[in-house]
Amino acid sequence: MVEISRGSLFGWMAACMATWVAACAAACAAQAPAPAQGAPGSVSAPPIVSAPRIVSLSPHITELLFAAGAGARIVGVDDASDYPSAARQIPRLGEVAALDMEGLLRLAPSIVIIWETGTPPRVRTELERLHLRVLVTEQRRLDDIGQALVEFGRLAGTSAAADDAARRYRANLAELRARYEGRAPLKVFYQVWDRPLYTLSGEHVVSELISLCGGDNIFADVGQLAPIVDREAVLARNPDVILIGAAGKDGYAQAADWNRFPNLKAVRDQHVFAVNPSLVGRMAPRILDGVREVCLALDKARAGRPRLQ
């Protein structure tokens, strides 16, 4: 869903998504609100006709814009926008919670695109106070990504490239759904961060990824989007697989920490896997690589093979 506003305050409480939780080293997470209006993927204002000057204030928005053929339209990004490599050459405006507003104004953007649940309300209020045209966007499910590509292409005047990218994305998603349909179910715990122990509920797209691969998120029933849980709760639900949303040495260190609980089924069977959080949790076309990574881990568990090396 995308919504364009100018100068009005919508008092949403921001919720930390997976990548934001990790980046903030266990910042507090709150439940994300429902969109104010329209179905996911709807646009509540006319598209921009001429080539816009876009500021993107979320890594997944930057990825979506590049995938939609609109990379050349971006004049500024937040510090976390790191993909594709061309995004690193665009002027940076700081972290979304501490933006360089003076630098942003100097860029003279015709539109600023923000992530609804990942942007502090005070930042949106400040942007609107400065009479900037603000587009608020939210993708919550895998299908929303294809629609976002189409809409960003329309907004940026790059519909041909965006429509082609959306067709490819939807075809690849359909192929993955067909390939993994009917897999033997596995109970899965997804770990966002370990100090404190964060997971994700059924409201988060990661839960949809797990389900696509034939898994059941053991905390799908929790109300908050990114709740804190204790290890005793994980032990009680006894998952078949633990997925650690962390890359490199950090991922392996968090995985190894579970060895303190040898009676946990996932640990006993050596089915604790580290997955790339920028693929699994970022709402852009590369999320399908995250789907493949999660499905590979679950297939290894079904086959009785130990953790990824």
Side-chain angles (χ1 to χ4, degrees), residues 269-285:
D269 296 340
Q270 295 190 340
H271 293 157
V272 182
F273 303 90
V275 294
N276 187 334
S278 70
L279 296 178
V280 171
R282 194 176 287 187
M283 296 298 286

Side-chain angles (χ1 to χ4, degrees), residues 12-14 20 96-98 114-125:
W12 298 124
M13 293 300 292
W20 195 22
V96 70
I114 66 173
W115 173 25
E116 182 181 25
T117 54
T119 304
R122 61 177 175 75
V123 173
R124 177 176 177 178
T125 302

Side-chain angles (χ1 to χ4, degrees), residues 5-244:
S5 62
R6 185 196 295 269
S8 59
L9 172 61
F10 292 76
W12 298 124
M13 293 300 292
C16 293
M17 289 294 200
T19 52
W20 195 22
V21 173
C24 293
C28 291
Q31 184 175 5
Q37 58 183 353
S42 65
V43 176
S44 60
I48 297 171
V49 176
S50 59
R53 293 175 57 81
I54 299 172
V55 165
S56 168
L57 295 182
S58 174
H60 83 279
I61 293 171
T62 302
E63 286 197 35
L64 283 167
L65 287 165
F66 270 95
R73 308 277 199 261
I74 306 173
V75 297
V77 296
D78 65 298
D79 279 359
S81 287
D82 59 359
Y83 188 90
S85 59
R88 302 189 188 106
Q89 309 307 315
I90 298 172
R92 331 257 329 150
L93 295 166
E95 297 179 0
V96 70
L99 289 175
D100 176 5
M101 291 293 184
E102 291 185 4
L104 191 155
L105 289 173
R106 284 195 296 271
L107 295 173
S110 55
I111 189 163
V112 179
I113 308 180
I114 66 173
W115 173 25
E116 182 181 25
T117 54
T119 304
R122 61 177 175 75
V123 173
R124 177 176 177 178
T125 302
E126 178 66 8
L127 292 169
E128 292 170 341
R129 187 189 68 78
L130 295 171
H131 304 290
L132 293 164
R133 186 179 177 97
V134 178
L135 183 151
V136 183
T137 182
E138 182 78 7
Q139 294 76 43
R140 301 189 181 212
R141 292 292 177 258
L142 293 172
D143 287 329
D144 295 345
I145 294 172
Q147 186 63 28
L149 288 167
V150 171
E151 290 169 353
F152 281 5
R154 187 186 311 132
L155 287 165
T158 58
S159 285
D163 291 351
D164 184 57
R167 281 192 294 270
R168 292 195 308 272
Y169 173 81
R170 288 164 173 160
N172 289 334
L173 176 57
E175 188 276 329
L176 285 168
R177 282 173 169 158
R179 184 193 310 175
Y180 289 99
E181 186 177 10
R183 287 289 204 274
L186 293 169
K187 295 192 299 179
V188 179
F189 171 61
Y190 186 86
Q191 179 172 306
V192 176
W193 192 252
D194 63 343
R195 297 182 187 89
L197 190 60
Y198 272 94
T199 188
L200 298 168
S201 74
E203 294 300 311
H204 196 282
V205 70
V206 165
S207 195
E208 184 182 0
L209 265 68
I210 291 169
S211 179
L212 187 156
C213 298
D216 294 319
N217 177 0
I218 63 171
F219 289 106
D221 59 334
V222 178
Q224 281 188 309
L225 186 69
I228 297 174
V229 296
D230 55 39
R231 293 186 186 270
E232 288 71 21
V234 178
L235 294 172
R237 300 195 183 198
N238 199 24
D240 301 300
V241 176
I242 295 175
L243 299 177
I244 309 288

